[in-house]
Amino acid sequence: MKLYIDTAIISEIREIAEWGVLSGVTTNPSLIAKSGKDFKKTIIEICEIVKGPVSAEVTVEDAAGMIEQGKEFADWDEMVVVKLPCTTEGLKACSALSHQGIPTNLTLCFSVNQALLCARAGASYVSPFIGRLEDINEDGVKLIKDIKETFRVAGIKTEIISASIRTPYHVTTVANAGSDIATIPYKLFPNMVQHPLTTSGLQKFLDDWKNSQQ
Ligand code: E4P
């Protein structure tokens, strides 16, 4: 499973990119607003930092407007992926953009049927939201497993991006469920690398080495 970071804050992306673990970045209008920076400049800067797909989300609700925005975003950098909502208008825009060779990420996906429609409309990626499903007492990880199986049976190549990840354990479980990608908030990365036995084991190695040199 590939790892993306789910943020529009440049310092966060730079820090985790230095670890050499990032394959891409996702943003959404809320994350861009939180960054307080210009949308276009932010997406272009992210594309310079991470050499992988960078999702930029449309901010209109009609297909014609989404297509217009999508074409504009795609001109900013060849790694831009146009993020579209999983609605009828989003499907129409997805179909039109994919016919023009523009990659798309269909977001706010909460069911197998939505994922199937996105795939048939030509989506490069589909983003099921794990955390938000759990917020309403539904099994987000099961949805990833079900979409994976549906895509496998149908021979669908659309990649699954597990989104709305809230805990390090979500990362483990969606990886085991066969997700192609997980897009992870910045604050979870340090939690993923830390382990008390690594910390104590390293301390012991360094102490033993130091004592042997005296
Ligand atoms: C995915 O692409 C979204 O940006 C994101 O994962 C949403 O997560 P949230 O439910 O924590 O807002």
Side-chain angles (χ1 to χ4, degrees):
M1 183 177 75
K2 285 171 275 188
L3 307 180
Y4 287 9
I5 189 166
D6 191 32
T7 182
I9 296 173
I10 297 295
S11 59
E12 295 182 350
I13 296 167
R14 273 193 205 288
E15 183 184 330
I16 306 305
E18 279 180 7
W19 297 9
V21 299
L22 289 184
S23 299
V25 180
T26 53
T27 67
N28 63 40
S30 303
L31 293 172
I32 295 285
K34 191 175 160 197
S35 78
K37 305 282 185 198
D38 178 75
F39 180 32
K40 181 177 175 181
K41 281 187 190 151
T42 300
I43 296 295
I44 291 171
E45 199 172 348
I46 295 172
C47 290
E48 284 163 7
I49 300 167
V50 177
K51 298 297 165 210
V54 174
S55 287
E57 187 161 344
V58 297
T59 52
V60 290
E61 290 184 81
D62 63 302
M66 290 179 195
I67 294 165
E68 193 183 327
Q69 284 193 340
K71 285 200 236 170
E72 185 197 334
F73 300 170
D75 275 345
W76 295 346
D77 191 285
E78 62 182 6
M79 295 315 289
V80 167
V81 173
V82 179
K83 205 171 178 193
L84 301 161
C86 191
T87 59
T88 52
E89 294 300 296
L91 291 174
K92 288 187 223 170
C94 174
S95 175
L97 291 169
S98 66
H99 277 110
Q100 294 175 46
I102 296 174
T104 53
N105 172 5
L106 275 281
T107 189
L108 292 166
C109 172
F110 295 96
S111 74
V112 173
N113 284 347
Q114 285 183 318
L116 191 54
L117 288 165
C118 295
R120 291 309 183 202
S124 320
Y125 306 91
V126 63
S127 292
F129 276 38
I130 306 307
R132 293 193 197 188
L133 270 177
E134 291 186 1
D135 288 344
I136 58 161
N137 205 27
E138 288 195 24
D139 190 340
V141 176
K142 181 171 184 299
L143 175 62
I144 299 299
K145 278 188 199 144
D146 291 347
I147 295 173
K148 185 72 184 179
E149 180 59 7
T150 303
F151 283 8
R152 187 192 66 75
V153 168
I156 288 170
K157 301 289 178 216
T158 301
E159 289 189 80
I160 302 168
I161 304 180
S162 292
S164 189
I165 295 275
R166 304 265 171 85
T167 66
Y169 191 61
H170 276 156
V171 179
T172 305
T173 50
V174 298
N176 286 334
S179 190
D180 300 289
I181 299 154
T183 189
I184 304 166
Y186 164 77
K187 66 176 183 191
L188 295 191
F189 281 93
N191 292 343
M192 287 168 65
V193 76
Q194 279 158 21
H195 195 287
L197 293 179
T198 305
T199 308
S200 60
L202 177 61
Q203 191 59 55
K204 177 85 167 70
F205 285 155
L206 294 177
D207 288 346
D208 289 347
W209 176 254
K210 209 164 145 191
N211 291 337
S212 74
Q213 301 302 302
Q214 284 166 1

